[in-house]
Amino acid sequence: MKIGYACTPLSTPLRTTRKFTLNSYNEETLKTTISDNLLDLYKILEFNNKLGIKLFRISSDIIPFGSHSINTFNWSKYFYNELKSIGEFIKNNNLRVSMHPGQYTVLNSPKDEIVNKAIDDLNYHTSLLDSMGLNSEHKIILHVGGVYDSKVESTERFMNNYTLLSKSIKNRLIIENDEKNYSFINVLNICKAINAPMVFDNLHNECFGDNNYTLDKLFELAKSTWSNEKCNMKVHYSQQDTKKKKGSHSPTIFTDDFLKYYSVAKNYNLDIMLEVKDKDFSAIKTINLIKESQNALTEVDRLMEIERYKLYLIEKGEDILKKAKDLILFSDIKDFYLYIDNLYYKEPTSASTNKALVEGFKLIEENINSRETNHFFKLKNERNYSKAKEYLHKLAEKYLCYELLSSYFFHN
């Protein structure tokens, strides 16, 4: 079982989403942007691998205008060595990657122009994974699309247009249920008809709410569409943000709900893509919970989590850090995470936020100049704590202060 997250880690400044406007398009800018994105992709995969994060969704933006007609540059040839190197790293370290085209890649549109653009976009995504030398276990996720005037006709149109796709696209494409148009059962039936695997999204299924299947049965049905595959079934896991509209992803993966899900999921050969706002933080959290259940959690794992959450805990209030340390050192890491979860919506006091900012500043003060120091303390002393925290994070990125960057303090 591999655990992963989507596109952009939070505890490192690395990113693969650099882009520019269509009006400023030129080949040199394109080359520079692709080069920077590919370099950071390699580094992100290294970063993930060191933390035991073996699943990762690559951003569609990694090649700007990848499927746009303006982009006639042969990027796969020009960056052959870089792409090959990334692919070799993925294979040598038993990583798995995926891609997920955006909402405008709609294969069942009644408009031929939109369908043709969708096929072009799927070709681009496939070409990128092919250029890395990756086999078909590295998937591309797609939703069925819109309902338009008739769900029956739109479903038939999707299946008919699926036949237009190349074999290389079909080898990678997996179809995901959504929260309002195509339910788990709708997608299951489509996948069986076109002989394609489905990716089961639990939150979308809960939002749709049209079946009474147990989680065990849902996994069983989804897995039946993977019978011709030589890789693990891939699923999406997320939780509802209770403070936002239906279908919104939660800010973090809360422990109790995940463990209930995992108690069933562990019985299937599957890889779990977390769709959550705090990305790599929740990936590490869930990996540690699984490690503990398998008696594989190490002392280093525990100590790293204390450091990752230290400033966050100081901000939450007096004596909270001490209690959390006692839990993680002398109890289960599950208890530590449950304690963290219960603190999530607790509003900090001005005094505790001030203390956390001062402690964070100590980690970087030797690297920054007097102007930056003065600006930070001006914001803090004016009690503009959110701006002070934001500025401290910018300084951490500028000076690559990884001890600060890996702190959960900035993401709550």
Side-chain angles (χ1 to χ4, degrees):
M1 179 183 286
K2 295 178 172 67
I3 303 288
Y5 64 94
C7 300
T8 306
L10 297 185
S11 53
T12 170
L14 300 169
R15 60 193 176 95
T16 62
T17 53
R18 298 172 184 85
K19 47 187 167 182
F20 51 91
T21 63
L22 189 61
N23 288 337
S24 60
Y25 182 94
N26 63 73
E27 196 168 284
E28 284 309 307
T29 302
L30 181 67
K31 286 179 183 177
T32 300
T33 306
I34 294 174
S35 178
D36 290 342
N37 282 345
L38 291 179
L39 179 61
D40 271 14
L41 174 59
Y42 191 96
K43 291 178 179 178
I44 288 170
L45 294 171
E46 284 185 315
F47 167 83
N48 286 348
N49 191 51
K50 287 177 183 176
L51 294 170
I53 300 171
K54 297 288 188 175
L55 184 64
F56 182 65
R57 181 185 298 165
I58 298 173
S59 169
S60 297
D61 294 328
I62 192 164
I63 309 291
F65 306 104
S67 62
H68 197 286
S69 58
I70 197 172
N71 187 352
T72 58
F73 176 60
N74 192 344
W75 49 265
S76 60
K77 181 178 179 180
Y78 187 86
F79 290 102
Y80 173 82
N81 290 331
E82 291 87 342
L83 290 161
K84 182 180 178 183
S85 179
I86 291 168
E88 289 301 314
F89 185 85
I90 290 168
K91 289 182 282 189
N92 291 339
N93 291 281
N94 191 29
L95 305 182
R96 188 179 189 185
V97 297
S98 64
M99 300 189 77
H100 196 335
Q103 59 181 324
Y104 300 111
T105 303
V106 184
L107 200 58
N108 76 340
S109 171
K111 297 181 179 179
D112 289 343
E113 180 185 3
I114 292 176
V115 173
N116 291 334
K117 285 183 177 179
I119 294 173
D120 287 343
D121 201 40
L122 292 172
N123 272 319
Y124 150 62
H125 285 80
T126 302
S127 296
L128 181 66
L129 296 174
D130 286 349
S131 68
M132 295 176 184
L134 300 175
N135 64 25
S136 61
E137 78 172 281
H138 306 276
K139 297 298 186 183
I140 297 168
I141 300 99
L142 187 69
H143 289 287
V144 177
V147 171
Y148 304 103
D149 293 329
S150 167
K151 188 169 181 175
V152 172
E153 291 178 7
S154 295
T155 299
E156 290 176 353
R157 196 161 50 245
F158 178 88
M159 293 191 291
N160 289 335
N161 289 340
Y162 180 84
T163 65
L164 304 175
L165 303 178
S166 67
K167 183 178 179 182
S168 56
I169 294 177
K170 290 178 183 177
N171 285 341
R172 296 197 187 276
L173 203 61
I174 55 179
I175 316 302
E176 179 184 357
N177 58 300
D178 65 65
E179 74 273 25
K180 60 180 180 179
N181 290 333
Y182 293 90
S183 69
F184 177 95
I185 297 302
N186 294 152
V187 174
L188 178 71
N189 291 334
I190 290 170
C191 286
K192 286 184 174 181
I194 63 176
N195 196 27
M198 78 170 290
V199 55
F200 164 45
D201 186 301
N202 70 299
L203 182 58
H204 288 166
N205 183 64
E206 291 165 18
C207 290
F208 210 106
D210 73 334
N211 69 64
N212 295 313
Y213 290 122
T214 64
L215 182 59
D216 196 64
K217 186 63 177 179
L218 290 165
F219 280 135
E220 181 186 323
L221 290 169
K223 190 171 177 61
S224 70
T225 67
W226 289 76
S227 58
N228 294 327
E229 298 289 325
K230 297 179 181 179
C231 57
N232 283 1
M233 172 171 69
K234 185 176 182 293
V235 299
H236 290 173
Y237 178 75
S238 55
Q239 298 170 354
Q240 174 65 45
D241 187 332
T242 57
K243 294 184 176 293
K244 293 187 178 180
K245 68 177 183 178
K246 189 176 181 180
S248 298
H249 295 150
S250 62
T252 190
I253 294 297
F254 291 97
T255 303
D256 269 343
D257 285 346
F258 174 76
L259 288 175
K260 288 174 187 174
Y261 177 88
Y262 175 70
S263 69
V264 181
K266 68 181 181 181
N267 299 318
Y268 295 84
N269 293 323
L270 52 80
D271 294 333
I272 304 174
M273 178 63 71
L274 303 176
E275 294 188 320
V276 61
K277 299 293 176 59
D278 64 6
K279 296 180 180 289
D280 44 315
F281 286 101
S282 271
I284 294 166
K285 181 181 187 178
T286 53
I287 288 168
N288 283 342
L289 287 165
I290 292 170
K291 277 185 176 181
E292 183 169 75
S293 73
Q294 299 170 343
N295 296 316
L297 194 71
T298 69
E299 193 69 16
V300 172
D301 294 327
R302 292 176 183 272
L303 293 175
M304 284 180 65
E305 287 302 85
I306 290 174
E307 291 306 310
R308 219 185 307 274
Y309 285 95
K310 182 178 178 180
L311 295 179
Y312 166 88
L313 292 163
I314 290 172
E315 185 184 27
K316 289 299 181 179
E318 193 173 350
D319 295 331
I320 284 179
L321 175 61
K322 182 181 183 304
K323 182 174 180 181
K325 279 185 175 181
D326 288 343
L327 284 170
I328 202 168
L329 293 174
F330 305 114
S331 185
D332 293 338
I333 205 166
K334 171 188 170 183
D335 295 328
F336 170 78
Y337 287 134
L338 286 170
Y339 187 58
I340 293 287
D341 292 350
N342 289 331
L343 293 169
Y344 195 88
Y345 293 110
K346 174 181 168 61
E347 289 295 328
T349 65
S350 295
S352 61
T353 299
N354 186 74
K355 185 174 181 181
L357 286 167
V358 170
E359 290 298 314
F361 178 78
K362 290 177 183 177
L363 299 175
I364 201 171
E365 62 180 330
E366 292 182 1
N367 299 321
I368 67 177
N369 59 48
S370 58
R371 180 186 59 79
E372 291 165 334
T373 297
N374 291 338
H375 185 62
F376 169 77
F377 277 101
K378 179 177 181 294
L379 292 171
K380 186 184 75 67
N381 293 337
E382 290 174 350
R383 298 193 175 190
N384 196 341
Y385 295 131
S386 61
K387 290 287 186 181
K389 185 186 285 191
E390 187 180 303
Y391 186 63
L392 188 61
H393 188 254
K394 285 181 180 178
L395 292 174
E397 288 187 328
K398 178 180 178 180
Y399 293 101
L400 297 180
C401 180
Y402 291 107
E403 194 173 0
L404 260 182
L405 287 171
S406 62
S407 173
Y408 198 67
F409 176 58
F410 299 109
H411 306 291
N412 172 233

